[in-house]
């Protein structure tokens, strides 16, 4: 098929490679414009932009699309069979949604209609869902409301993190979009009206640990928000990032946030959580035993105060 591919982050890269390997004619790739990144704030191409360059595909990086009539005209003139969209980051106007013969197909990292929106991977873990998955849908003008063409699911475990789920769903999405385009006459199904939930865009503040919450919820928060935006607490006035933790069977009568032992087990509103990886300012993430060699944190210390 004659395709446009529209994506920006790592999640979209396996789908781009899979479509190319399947022999589809990818006439153009759209991605977010290069932006400064890292400590040096050097201008960097997006992961999809880099992948497209590796494949020798032309890339367009418009900053806006909604009223960009020149881009609308260019897109329409491509005479596409379909456009494949995977975490692109810009809203497509109707003029572009209606241009391809088969429409614009979105690779969405959830089992729609659950977790429409910007952060479905993290939302599924935060909520304690038993499953997540990928849905291929035909896009319309609303947010993630289009008719569904295909989906698949994966079980979530007590150790699933946003990073591992991201990678699993990226591979699943690549497989599903190739299958969907191989069977273009598959009937679309409207999304059910029941079970609609939304996953809003995350901010750094979402990573603040409230030790008055129960340990199971905090464990999900840490697993859902690692590596981004990350979770954090404070220790002696310093912001400490938490890389991983595990619920602990420790029994306690201490206030939430209190260190219970020499292994950084922390009292929560219900239960306790043992921090297994953490990071002090200006240092790299490290295991707890290495952290404690450089900084004493005696039992009775209170985090987050």
């Amino acid at each position: 098929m004659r395709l446009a591919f529209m994506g920006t982050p790592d999640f979209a890269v396996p789908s781009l490679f899979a479509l190319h390997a399947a022999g589809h004619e990818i006439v153009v790739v759209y991605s977010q414009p290069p932006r400064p990144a890292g400590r040096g704030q050097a201008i960097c191409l997006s992961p999809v932009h880099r992948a497209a360059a590796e494949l020798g595909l032309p890339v367009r990086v418009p900053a806006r699309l909604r009223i960009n009539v020149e881009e609308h005209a260019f897109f329409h003139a491509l005479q596409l069979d379909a456009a494949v969209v995977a975490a692109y980051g810009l809203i497509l106007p109707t003029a572009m949604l209606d241009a391809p013969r088969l429409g614009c197909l979105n690779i969405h990292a959830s089992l729609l209609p659950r977790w429409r929106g910007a952060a479905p991977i993290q939302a599924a873990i935060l909520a304690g869902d038993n499953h997540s998955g990928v849905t291929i849908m035909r896009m319309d003008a609303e947010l993630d409301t289009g008719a569904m063409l295909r989906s698949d699911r994966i079980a979530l475990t007590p150790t699933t993190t946003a990073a591992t789920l991201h990678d699993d769903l990226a591979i699943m999405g690549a497989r599903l979009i190739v299958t969907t385009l191989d069977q273009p006459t598959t009937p679309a199904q409207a999304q059910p009206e029941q079970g609609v939930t939304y996953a809003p865009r995350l901010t750094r503040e979402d990573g603040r640990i409230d030790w008055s919450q129960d340990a199971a919820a905090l464990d999900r928060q840490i697993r859902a928000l690692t590596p981004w935006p990350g979770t954090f607490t404070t220790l002696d006035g310093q912001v400490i990032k938490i890389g991983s933790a595990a619920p602990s069977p420790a029994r306690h009568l201490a206030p939430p946030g209190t260190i219970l032992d020499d292994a950084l087990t922390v009292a929560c509103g219900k239960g306790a959580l043992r921090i297994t990886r953490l990071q002090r300012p200006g240092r790299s993430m490290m295991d707890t035993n290495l952290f404690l060699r450089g900084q004493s944190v005696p039992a009775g210390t209170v985090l987050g105060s």
Side-chain angles (χ1 to χ4, degrees):
M1 285 192 183
R2 185 174 172 85
L3 304 178
F5 186 86
M6 313 178 85
T8 297
D10 289 319
F11 177 82
V13 171
S15 292
L16 176 59
F17 280 127
L19 291 168
H20 185 269
H24 292 285
E25 182 188 6
I26 303 173
V27 296
V28 67
V29 173
Y30 279 79
S31 195
Q32 291 271 344
R35 291 192 170 93
R39 291 185 178 179
Q41 291 294 284
I43 301 299
C44 296
L45 304 181
S46 76
V48 164
H49 195 151
R50 295 195 300 271
E54 180 181 334
L55 295 172
L57 301 174
V59 181
R60 295 177 74 85
V61 290
R64 290 178 175 81
L65 289 177
R66 188 173 63 85
I67 57 174
N68 189 340
V69 293
E70 293 85 0
E71 200 63 50
H72 301 173
F74 173 85
F75 195 74
H76 189 273
L78 293 173
Q79 296 185 322
L80 300 168
D81 291 310
V84 173
V85 183
Y88 176 34
L90 292 180
I91 295 175
L92 302 189
T94 302
M96 297 180 75
L97 290 172
D98 294 343
R101 178 175 64 88
L102 298 174
C104 297
L105 308 183
N106 182 246
I107 304 168
H108 186 74
S110 83
L111 297 171
L112 291 169
R114 187 160 177 80
W115 304 129
R116 295 173 180 172
I121 291 175
Q122 295 87 348
I125 298 173
L126 280 169
D129 289 0
N130 292 324
H131 291 84
S132 181
V134 169
T135 303
I136 308 296
M137 69 171 180
R138 183 173 291 122
M139 297 174 69
D140 59 22
E142 303 299 322
L143 177 66
D144 299 333
T145 59
M148 303 180 295
L149 295 166
R150 193 171 298 273
S151 66
D152 199 2
R153 62 176 51 208
I154 185 173
L156 302 186
T157 74
T159 61
T160 298
T161 67
T164 59
L165 183 57
H166 168 280
D167 293 351
D168 288 342
L169 296 186
I171 293 170
M172 178 183 288
R175 173 175 55 80
L176 284 180
I177 191 60
V178 170
T179 302
T180 300
L181 292 177
D182 283 346
Q183 302 173 16
T185 59
T186 299
Q189 293 185 330
Q191 293 187 35
E193 297 181 0
Q194 297 77 28
V196 175
T197 55
Y198 291 92
R201 191 174 303 277
L202 296 168
T203 69
R204 183 179 181 278
E205 190 60 25
D206 291 313
R208 184 183 297 276
I209 295 291
D210 176 2
W211 295 108
S212 68
Q213 301 295 311
D214 70 74
L218 294 179
D219 172 54
R220 293 195 301 270
Q221 181 184 2
I222 292 166
R223 290 188 288 112
L225 304 187
T226 299
W228 193 91
T231 53
F232 64 94
T233 188
T234 55
L235 170 63
D236 295 333
Q238 285 189 326
V239 174
I240 301 295
K241 295 182 180 179
I242 300 177
S244 62
S248 169
R251 299 175 63 86
H252 66 87
L253 297 174
T258 302
I259 301 293
L260 299 174
D261 56 24
D262 59 2
L264 283 192
T265 302
V266 188
C268 305
K270 179 180 179 182
L273 202 65
R274 183 172 61 85
I275 300 173
T276 54
R277 286 180 61 79
L278 67 168
Q279 179 181 5
R280 64 167 64 93
R283 303 291 296 274
S284 58
M285 189 70 68
M286 64 186 70
D287 292 342
T288 293
N289 61 336
L290 294 177
F291 180 92
L292 292 175
R293 290 179 188 176
Q295 181 167 346
S296 174
V297 186
T301 301
V302 179
L303 300 178
S305 59

